[in-house]
Amino acid sequence: MILRQEIAPLLKNPPVGTTVTVMGWVRAWRGNRFMVLNDGSGPETLQVVVDADQFPEEIIRSIGFHACVGATGTLAESQGSGQTVELIASSIQIFGKADLSKYPLQAKAQSMEFLRENAQFRMRTNTFSAVFRIRHAVAYAINKYFHDRGFYYLHTPIITGNDAEGAGEMFRVTTLDPINPPLDEAGKVDYREDFFGKATNLTVSGQLQAEIGALALGKVYTFGPTFRAENSNTSRHLAEFWMIEPEIAFADIENDMDLAEDFVKYLINFCLDNYLPDLEFLDERIQQAEKNLKAELRRPMGLIEMLRFVVQGDFERITYTEAVELILASTPYKKKKFQFPVAWGSDLQAEHERWLVEQHFKKPVIVRNYPKDIKAFYMRLNDDGKTVAAMDILFPYIGEVIGGSQREEREEVLRARMQEMGVHEEELAWYLQLRTFGGAPHAGFGLGFERIVLFITGMGNIRDVIPFPRAPKTADF
Amino acid sequence: MILRQEIAPLLKNPPVGTTVTVMGWVRAWRGNRFMVLNDGSGPETLQVVVDADQFPEEIIRSIGFHACVGATGTLAESQGSGQTVELIASSIQIFGKADLSKYPLQAKAQSMEFLRENAQFRMRTNTFSAVFRIRHAVAYAINKYFHDRGFYYLHTPIITGNDAEGAGEMFRVTTLDPINPPLDEAGKVDYREDFFGKATNLTVSGQLQAEIGALALGKVYTFGPTFRAENSNTSRHLAEFWMIEPEIAFADIENDMDLAEDFVKYLINFCLDNYLPDLEFLDERIQQAEKNLKAELRRPMGLIEMLRFVVQGDFERITYTEAVELILASTPYKKKKFQFPVAWGSDLQAEHERWLVEQHFKKPVIVRNYPKDIKAFYMRLNDDGKTVAAMDILFPYIGEVIGGSQREEREEVLRARMQEMGVHEEELAWYLQLRTFGGAPHAGFGLGFERIVLFITGMGNIRDVIPFPRAPKTADF
């Protein structure tokens, strides 16, 4: 049995004068005397005072950047600046050296790309340990928010025989022989012989199945991995990412917007209330990184300032039609500063969304009632016959963070929309049946987990907020 | 905006005399007067008193089993037995009829197989709504347990280029042409042209990657889907299931066993403390189902009785060697009642484990220090050179519920074990590096999520505790 005290909780109310044992990784080793230890429990470090004369030289020589060390001693008020308490070591245990002549990481800052390639060590850096603690915080807040409000967590399938939603390119899942698959009479792959007896793919969304849950348990949410086989090698796309999809019965688009706004504010408040030291570190990091940039390239607000700004007021709510009118009347439009055209019926581009949020309203914006032709078949047709009860929440920096809709609960309208959009009825017979028998108005939305973690941490690349990113030609670890 | 009150919270402290609106599905419709409504918020139903003379005939005719209905009225003390309050309806809204001449489900009980095939409706039944609320409860308890104890939730990859663990057959993930994949000079599939630039599969375990997290953040856990492409068409196997894998730095096998026992008891207590009405329903369900069985085929204990029994005492802890000795000295062994042979060095079979738990100790048992040759390469070699610091927790009915180990942190020992077991070093260079640089003793375990949900709900088939089961030739929805 190994006994130790964790540093972050220890420093909350340090028992000065008592003997404690801590174990962690050396963040700094100063003057062969001051060993700064972090154990991952938080961003906090504990300074361990090591009297080199009292320990074998082998021990002293083993202490160094990212070596793993245990120390037992008395907790004392600190003499130095920068910390309130320190540990006067009476015994030291070396768990694992980290020979700096061979260790990939070095004490100086290294590029994000390099750290990504060395993901077995990047969580030991101050930046990434903070990022992944915040990632945890957001995940926990999601579960807590829904649980406290009577939602049930529903695991929708990862492997699916549906390819009806058409949300994107899919990865095939198979156990057939990769070179000589069985073929049917028509010379096509005979998926009847595959593991599941049919062609299967990795899910792009759990929404359709979540509707089953909502129309029985009332309020459910999914929180699981989703996949896109799109060849997008950008700082905004992942091939594997996590998504949250709440779905509620007896709800319209108004209930949906209220829930989404309250939910996303809760997540940010949870981090501000419980993980401030990590956010402060990440805030400081951005300021350091932007120090040498021209003023106009710097963020207009600090990280924490921006998070507080987002949660403090109501989000602006406008219709798609109003959004188009605002953009058409805007200065950048008139001065031809937008790259993409704007016209009623086409999707808003990132540059338009950012103008609305960052320049015009200067707050998050919920746009609703999009043209039906640019939205999915399951979104509820509005009385105008032209728009659907869909809504997107747009944030500064990252653009769309949430997309949702009231679902079409009227069987005949849904059937017509499916035909219009080329969705095969027979594949989604069960989905139509949810309307035939005991249906109800219902609504939901999707939140891209990495999107909100990107926003809250202020990181620049979505690959840096997931422990092991998957992207084209990238599936290390 | 749709406003309603949810039935389960409403009944906790019913505001008799006030006007409320509820919405849900009709569970029973008695004498054209008493409509029993459930909205999924809990197993509780609310009886709505409908004066048929006050409503149009069309409304009255639409009320029926699993129709979706809203009702507004005054909450009153109930005159009848079986409920304390009832709703005197002043207005009724039909959201969705359920024409019983066409609706797949019927008011009488239907087979588990039939309900599985009609999973779009099975969550509306009393049994499955209880099962999936308990499933939620266990999931929430898992996140709460770890969060409250300073663990960080880590998302390990679903798509992986590792196939080193050898925990089972894997599903291939690909976007290559299914009939004419690109071939290399040797005539094999050229996975360099696949999406990820290499052959990729669905994960069988996140443990190896979780070790990266533990050796940086101290204490982490995974909770995600895992996959086995095994052709096991049984009531105990799924091709897609969820797994929880905590991993802790500065921990040995003793810490690991303590954590695992405390954890699994917490999950059960959480359900007993917070979801007792659902457990009572499931308990009663089993008693009804077993009523006509011979006494020896019935469970020796009721569901809730068994759950309380498991959490109240310490689990028995024995070594593998002791377990073998006990089995060799047992009556069923001497009377040749066991189907499989027993000898030091071979794995214990379910019949042996069940004898230890149900007959001999009559409590959960932790077996540790298994022969190294029947365990994975990463488990820490004990000083005897023959056994490893592995442990399994065995439960009544379901057998192994948790399997864990202290990990081999000594680089040279690990390297030798990898060679011995035929694990390729180059594929796991990063894993070995965790030992080369800043390593520490660490340990962890895996809990099969559906296994523990099966145990807590008392269901008989693992396909009935996951919303959309995946198994050979089965990937509906």
Side-chain angles (χ1 to χ4, degrees), chain A residues 43-276:
Chain A
E44 299 83 354
T45 54
L46 180 63
Q47 176 164 290
V48 180
V49 182
V50 182
D51 182 348
D53 297 342
Q54 285 192 19
F55 297 97
E57 207 189 313
E58 168 59 19
I59 293 252
I60 300 297
R61 264 191 288 122
S62 300
I63 299 173
F65 181 71
H66 283 192
C68 187
V69 177
T72 300
T74 309
L75 208 59
E77 306 272 357
S78 179
Q79 308 300 309
S81 66
Q83 63 276 327
T84 54
V85 294
E86 59 192 16
L87 189 79
I88 314 299
S90 57
S91 85
I92 301 248
Q93 190 178 2
I94 306 294
F95 291 116
K97 301 186 222 183
D99 181 349
L100 265 194
S101 69
K102 296 182 186 129
Y103 186 48
L105 267 55
Q106 301 292 318
K108 65 179 170 55
Q110 279 161 310
S111 79
M112 291 289 151
E113 292 73 19
F114 179 84
L115 291 171
R116 231 173 274 146
E117 284 161 18
N118 288 275
Q120 72 272 38
F121 298 124
R122 75 171 174 167
M123 282 187 228
R124 291 184 191 169
T125 65
N126 291 327
T127 296
F128 284 96
S129 58
V131 165
F132 291 116
R133 281 189 295 267
I134 295 292
R135 187 179 163 103
H136 160 83
V138 180
Y140 186 69
I142 288 164
N143 287 307
K144 183 167 168 54
Y145 179 87
F146 288 123
H147 175 79
D148 289 351
R149 284 155 188 78
F151 285 70
Y152 294 104
Y153 183 14
L154 190 77
H155 288 121
T156 50
I158 312 302
I159 299 172
T160 174
N162 276 336
D163 63 354
E165 209 212 340
E169 292 296 309
M170 299 175 96
F171 289 104
R172 197 164 72 251
V173 175
T174 181
T175 57
L176 290 179
D177 186 291
I179 297 186
N180 294 306
L183 302 179
D184 61 17
E185 305 74 28
K188 293 191 170 168
V189 175
D190 189 355
Y191 286 110
R192 287 170 304 184
E193 296 197 23
D194 207 347
F195 188 90
F196 294 107
K198 59 158 107 174
T200 49
N201 296 294
L202 291 177
T203 183
V204 295
S205 162
Q207 178 208 309
L208 302 189
Q209 295 94 340
E211 291 184 44
I212 292 174
L215 292 170
L217 300 174
K219 300 191 296 189
V220 301
Y221 72 104
T222 75
F223 184 3
T226 47
F227 306 85
R228 295 281 186 287
E230 275 154 27
N231 204 2
S232 300
N233 232 328
T234 79
S235 62
R236 293 296 163 101
H237 292 87
L238 290 166
E240 172 181 314
F241 55 98
W242 288 64
M243 194 138 79
I244 299 96
E245 298 182 287
E247 190 72 31
I248 35 176
F250 314 112
D252 62 17
I253 190 73
E254 298 288 331
N255 298 93
D256 204 38
M257 290 190 291
D258 285 357
L259 177 70
E261 178 171 342
D262 186 58
F263 170 59
V264 73
K265 285 177 173 171
Y266 178 91
L267 301 185
I268 296 170
N269 274 321
F270 187 87
C271 293
L272 286 167
D273 292 346
N274 299 287
Y275 292 80
L276 198 58

Side-chain angles (χ1 to χ4, degrees), chain A residues 143 247 340 392 437:
Chain A
N143 287 307
E247 190 72 31
F340 291 93
D392 285 354
F437 303 108

